[in-house]
Amino acid sequence: MTERKPRKDAVRNRSAVLAAADTLFHDYDSSKGVTMADVAAAAGVGKATIFRAFGDRAGLIRALCEVRLEVTMDAITAGPPPLGPGARPQQRIPAVLDALLCFKLDNRHLALALEEAADLGPYRAENYDRWHDLLQLMLEQIPGMTHSDFTAHALLAVTRADLVDHLAGNERVSPEQMRTQLADFTARVLHPYPL
Amino acid sequence: MTERKPRKDAVRNRSAVLAAADTLFHDYDSSKGVTMADVAAAAGVGKATIFRAFGDRAGLIRALCEVRLEVTMDAITAGPPPLGPGARPQQRIPAVLDALLCFKLDNRHLALALEEAADLGPYRAENYDRWHDLLQLMLEQIPGMTHSDFTAHALLAVTRADLVDHLAGNERVSPEQMRTQLADFTARVLHPYPL
DNA sequence: TTGTAATACGGACCACCGGTCCGTATTGTT
DNA sequence: AACAATACGGACCGGTGGTCCGTATTACAA
């Protein structure tokens, strides 16, 4: 019973910050980093308000990502195959990785910021663990699969935001090409091991 | 003929900085980051001297890595198989990746700093391109291999310093385990594709 | 050896960023 | 209307990579 009614200015400001940050990350695509002061200014709010609402920079970015990932996560946890449960791992794993890749392609700066935010790579984010555990569970259902834990890490490493950004930006790889290449690579990893 | 004789104090200071930084990164293993001021103090030198000699933080770290990687690079470019040239790609690629992994295991903080230094991931470092090109060339010799460019990126992503650090530090994976798991994963990627 | 131009030195200094403080303003409640 | 409780915001802080510039050192020529 320690529930308190939140003040309406607080909620209003919270969503204003969220909206402003989303815009900044999305189309203020500049190579310059988005600073907390930027977000505060764009939201018409003091800096402290952001930190009060989200804890720290990582918290804000995490919150943004959760919004952006909501539909994808729903599709994975409760949607139809091949993304949703029910599909065989050989179909579902590529589908999940493709969804993750698409997210990073569609939200390059945001994903980049997320993976830089947690102080030691993306591996502190509780978000990462969700993906890893999901992948690992599916990998374990594949006959002949070894080291499912490591393999899950490895597959996720291939979709790291900075790699995606490098390929898309510097090497001019189109989204479609990247999705195909990731799918082929994944297939290579998943296909039965002819030992 | 624009060659100038370098001043001896400059050379002395340069190596002093290199030595101090190496020590700091290696056994001052603290979780705290190594700052430029730290290095300057440890080397008994002003900060500007470091920047004059190495350009910026990334330059210093790059120089350090080159020293630390020298033997490995020699073994790869001119040593005996399976690391050196002459080995079949199926043997050499795992060997090269294992060597890279060992480097990151032996120089965790340094490798971590290197990959954080270049402003957008490790992909700006000219160092990365060397590894990528080498891998890609070998991959292209494997029958049935597709997307050798992407595959090279993918294999390198698995040895990212922060992943290695996370596995070794947080998940308590022993170096031997990691090497085995990477080798198995690589084998999976390399084995003939039963299309 | 001495004079001098070139080069390097170093620590004060700067810009920037994430994050905090605290006096003030807004809200919800009685 | 009175009064807690809560939120506000911008000045402020600590720390970092990087620069400036007056001074000291070096290489070289006379």
Side-chain angles (χ1 to χ4, degrees):
Chain A
M1 288 307 151
T2 51
E3 296 299 303
R4 286 270 168 188
K5 194 174 189 179
R7 272 171 54 164
K8 67 179 177 189
D9 52 352
V11 265
R12 176 171 39 81
N13 281 331
R14 186 190 159 91
S15 48
V17 167
L18 228 35
D22 193 64
T23 312
L24 282 190
F25 276 111
H26 196 275
D27 51 53
Y28 176 81
D29 265 326
S30 154
S31 54
K32 299 302 302 170
V34 176
T35 75
M36 300 307 261
D38 289 339
V39 177
V45 145
K47 275 176 54 177
T49 298
I50 301 186
F51 288 95
R52 210 174 303 116
F54 299 96
D56 59 2
R57 182 183 166 85
L60 169 61
I61 294 172
R62 242 179 275 130
L64 264 179
C65 281
E66 260 162 50
V67 175
R68 288 270 175 186
L69 268 175
E70 207 175 343
V71 286
T72 303
M73 291 302 296
D74 286 354
I76 289 177
T77 59
L83 246 193
R88 289 173 48 245
Q90 280 88 346
Q91 313 297 327
R92 200 180 177 207
I93 291 175
V96 166
L97 287 175
D98 184 63
L100 183 55
L101 174 62
C102 285
F103 167 75
K104 304 214 184 181
L105 283 167
D106 292 340
N107 306 279
R108 285 213 269 167
H109 300 284
L110 181 59
L112 218 36
L114 175 68
E115 297 188 10
E116 282 168 0
D119 273 295
L120 223 79
Y123 303 102
R124 296 242 175 194
E126 162 244 356
N127 201 315
Y128 182 85
D129 289 333
R130 299 167 60 94
W131 291 99
H132 178 269
D133 294 349
L134 172 66
L135 267 184
Q136 183 175 1
L137 279 176
M138 292 190 290
L139 284 168
E140 275 164 1
Q141 297 172 27
I142 291 189
M145 176 58 58
T146 59
H147 311 312
S148 60
D149 178 83
F150 181 87
T151 307
H153 283 298
L155 288 176
L156 286 176
V158 181
T159 68
R160 288 278 295 261
D162 47 8
L163 176 55
V164 171
D165 190 65
H166 172 72
L167 291 177
N170 297 62
E171 295 198 6
R172 297 287 174 187
V173 180
S174 78
E176 293 72 25
Q177 287 171 337
M178 251 177 90
R179 293 175 63 191
T180 304
Q181 292 170 1
L182 175 62
D184 286 1
F185 182 82
T186 308
R188 221 170 238 285
V189 173
L190 294 188
H191 81 255
Y193 198 27
L195 186 59
Chain B
M1 287 307 152
T2 51
E3 297 298 304
R4 285 272 168 186
K5 193 174 188 179
R7 273 171 54 162
K8 68 180 178 191
D9 53 352
V11 222
R12 176 171 39 80
N13 281 332
R14 188 192 157 89
S15 48
V17 167
L18 227 37
D22 192 65
T23 312
L24 281 189
F25 274 112
H26 195 276
D27 50 53
Y28 177 82
D29 263 328
S30 154
S31 53
K32 299 302 301 169
V34 176
T35 75
M36 296 290 113
D38 289 339
V39 177
V45 144
K47 276 176 54 179
T49 298
I50 301 186
F51 288 94
R52 210 174 304 116
F54 298 96
D56 58 4
R57 181 185 166 86
L60 168 60
I61 294 173
R62 243 179 273 131
L64 264 179
C65 282
E66 260 162 48
V67 175
R68 288 270 174 186
L69 268 175
E70 208 176 342
V71 286
T72 304
M73 291 300 297
D74 286 353
I76 289 177
T77 60
L83 246 193
R88 290 173 47 246
Q90 281 89 346
Q91 314 297 327
R92 201 180 176 206
I93 291 174
V96 166
L97 287 175
D98 186 63
L100 183 56
L101 175 61
C102 285
F103 167 75
K104 304 214 183 182
L105 283 167
D106 292 340
N107 306 278
R108 284 212 268 166
H109 300 286
L110 181 59
L112 218 36
L114 175 69
E115 296 188 10
E116 283 168 0
D119 272 296
L120 224 79
Y123 303 102
R124 296 242 175 195
E126 163 243 359
N127 200 316
Y128 181 85
D129 290 333
R130 297 167 61 95
W131 290 100
H132 178 270
D133 294 350
L134 173 66
L135 267 184
Q136 184 175 1
L137 278 175
M138 292 190 291
L139 285 168
E140 276 164 0
Q141 297 172 27
I142 291 190
M145 176 58 58
T146 59
H147 311 313
S148 60
D149 179 83
F150 181 87
T151 307
H153 283 298
L155 288 176
L156 286 176
V158 181
T159 68
R160 287 279 296 261
D162 47 8
L163 176 54
V164 171
D165 189 66
H166 172 72
L167 291 177
N170 297 62
E171 295 198 5
R172 299 285 174 189
V173 180
S174 78
E176 291 73 24
Q177 288 171 337
M178 252 176 89
R179 294 175 63 191
T180 304
Q181 292 171 1
L182 175 63
D184 287 2
F185 182 83
T186 309
R188 222 170 236 287
V189 173
L190 295 188
H191 82 254
Y193 197 28
L195 187 59

